[in-house]
Amino acid sequence: MTATIIDGLSYANKIINNIKYEVNKLKVKPKLVVILVGNDNASQIYVKNKQKRCLEVGIESEVLHFDEKIKQDKLLDIIKQLNEDIRVNAILVQMPLPSHINSNLIIETISPLKDVDGFHPYNVGKLALNMTPYSVACTPCGILKLLNAYNIEIKGKHVVIIGRSNIVGRPLALLLLNNDATVTVCHSKTENLKQITQTADILISAIGKAHLINSTFIKENAVIIDVGINRDKNNKLTGDVDFNDVFEKCNFITPVPKGVGPMTIAMLLQNTLDLYKTQNNI
Ligand code: NAP
């Protein structure tokens, strides 16, 4: 038996085309503002990519790029101004920020109504209470959409998530719990990791370590979602999962690249449009 490869790229393109169609009908276009601090190479590439995708669907985007020595108070003032600006529908602060800036304070200062990443405590709190937030973190949202697109049953299933970060593991656990999964969250201090992952109907890895997960970690016919983005020894993009090793044992698997990654970008565009609609009572 071989697994079905979950084609995140195709599904993301489908969503992006729908967004483009909807945005095209709007007289005033949604606007995303991205705040970038410093000259981190990876961050600059991510931001450029986000801008490019916005342009493709007709979402207006603006990047505010600041020197890495910018004072925290100045950044807070800028966010407060953006919160008040009716032409701005969505605000994203590219992480990581320099160490003299308190990232939590920055996130808390963004209006929950413009919090495109879904990281604000108000939105995370609503998610935790199974109420409707203004936005949900993009990667978890994208994973849920992929599971639904492939008719993968979540209700009653044991989902094991490896990773408890605020951007992936934690919001994903809440989202799946709200969808009636039985969720176990593992992390670097988890004892007997393998024994736990072997009981997963759906195993989601968000660790950031190339090929840590091989076939000995998984149950026969499991669904494998690989969130990890790593470089292997040949500098090739690769996930947390040893794809070739698990392929014959699992039922579904997301590849890296072209799996979860494209869905994250698609959800960023979707969240921007959804915030615009909420703000305009559409
Ligand atoms: P992170 O903040 O570094 O979190 C990694 C998590 O993995 C932590 O909870 C950590 O445990 C856990 N961990 C580390 N080593 C482990 C081990 N040996 N066994 C079990 N758990 C272990 O990373 P992140 O931001 O969540 O991202 C995780 C990965 O996903 C990265 O490769 C990142 O590039 C990728 N990513 C991809 C997308 C996408 O769109 N595809 C989006 C976001 C992130 P502790 O909490 O105990 O430290």
Side-chain angles (χ1 to χ4, degrees):
M1 196 200 73
T2 53
T4 299
I5 298 175
I6 297 178
D7 187 348
L9 183 62
S10 295
Y11 194 63
N13 283 337
K14 216 163 148 180
I15 293 172
I16 287 170
N17 279 337
N18 284 340
I19 296 170
K20 193 172 177 177
Y21 176 77
E22 275 202 63
V23 171
N24 193 34
K25 288 190 298 187
L26 298 169
K27 257 204 194 127
V28 179
K29 306 301 178 197
K31 179 172 177 179
L32 168 71
V33 172
V34 178
I35 295 176
L36 175 63
V37 181
N39 294 311
D40 178 70
N41 229 350
S43 292
Q44 293 194 46
I45 294 169
Y46 292 145
V47 167
K48 238 186 209 145
N49 197 20
K50 285 167 188 169
Q51 239 189 331
K52 190 175 138 232
R53 301 315 295 252
C54 281
L55 194 72
E56 276 168 25
V57 299
I59 288 176
E60 205 183 310
S61 76
E62 186 181 355
V63 177
L64 303 178
H65 192 174
F66 301 103
D67 188 90
E68 65 179 346
K69 293 200 178 84
I70 187 173
K71 292 228 161 63
Q72 176 171 287
D73 283 350
K74 173 99 192 288
L75 205 52
L76 292 172
D77 281 345
I78 288 158
I79 292 171
K80 285 174 194 160
Q81 280 168 27
L82 294 171
N83 286 342
E84 297 301 317
D85 187 342
I86 54 161
R87 267 303 295 126
V88 176
N89 307 106
I91 304 168
L92 184 156
V93 179
Q94 185 64 44
M95 299 292 169
L97 289 170
S99 56
H100 69 279
I101 294 174
N102 177 343
S103 306
N104 287 339
L105 183 59
I106 295 293
I107 291 169
E108 276 182 89
T109 304
I110 298 171
S111 162
L113 251 174
K114 297 190 176 185
D115 168 33
V116 73
D117 267 332
F119 294 163
H120 192 286
Y122 175 90
N123 287 321
V124 180
K126 284 252 179 172
L127 183 67
L129 296 169
N130 200 8
M131 296 163 76
T132 310
Y134 293 122
S135 56
V136 176
C138 299
T139 304
C141 239
I143 292 170
L144 183 66
K145 290 244 180 228
L146 276 183
L147 293 171
N148 288 336
Y150 280 79
N151 293 318
I152 294 167
E153 181 97 67
I154 298 169
K155 189 175 171 180
K157 299 297 172 194
H158 185 207
V159 181
V160 176
I161 301 169
I162 319 177
R164 56 175 165 177
S165 71
N166 290 349
I167 67 169
V168 187
R170 276 172 210 270
L172 182 58
L174 294 170
L175 198 58
L176 293 169
L177 186 63
N178 294 347
N179 280 272
D180 295 328
T182 302
V183 182
T184 303
V185 182
C186 302
H187 46 79
S188 68
K189 310 292 183 292
T190 298
E191 292 178 4
N192 305 321
L193 179 68
K194 203 180 263 195
Q195 268 139 277
I196 299 168
T197 58
Q198 282 169 347
T199 68
D201 300 307
I202 302 175
L203 176 62
I204 307 179
S205 183
I207 306 171
K209 297 213 165 109
H211 293 186
L212 188 81
I213 305 302
N214 59 35
S215 60
T216 65
F217 281 78
I218 74 165
K219 178 164 105 172
E220 197 89 37
N221 296 330
V223 174
I224 310 292
I225 306 292
D226 192 354
V227 186
I229 302 176
N230 315 291
R231 295 267 169 197
D232 69 10
K233 47 186 184 301
N234 303 316
N235 206 29
K236 217 178 119 210
L237 274 190
T238 188
D240 292 344
V241 178
D242 187 339
F243 186 93
N244 293 331
D245 191 48
V246 303
F247 192 63
E248 303 224 332
K249 196 171 177 186
C250 63
N251 221 346
F252 289 90
I253 184 164
T254 58
V256 178
K258 301 184 182 173
V260 174
M263 288 300 291
T264 299
I265 288 273
M267 290 303 103
L268 175 72
L269 303 176
Q270 186 70 63
N271 278 356
T272 304
L273 177 58
D274 290 348
L275 291 176
Y276 171 97
K277 285 185 182 171
T278 306
Q279 290 158 28
N280 290 285
N281 296 315
I282 298 175

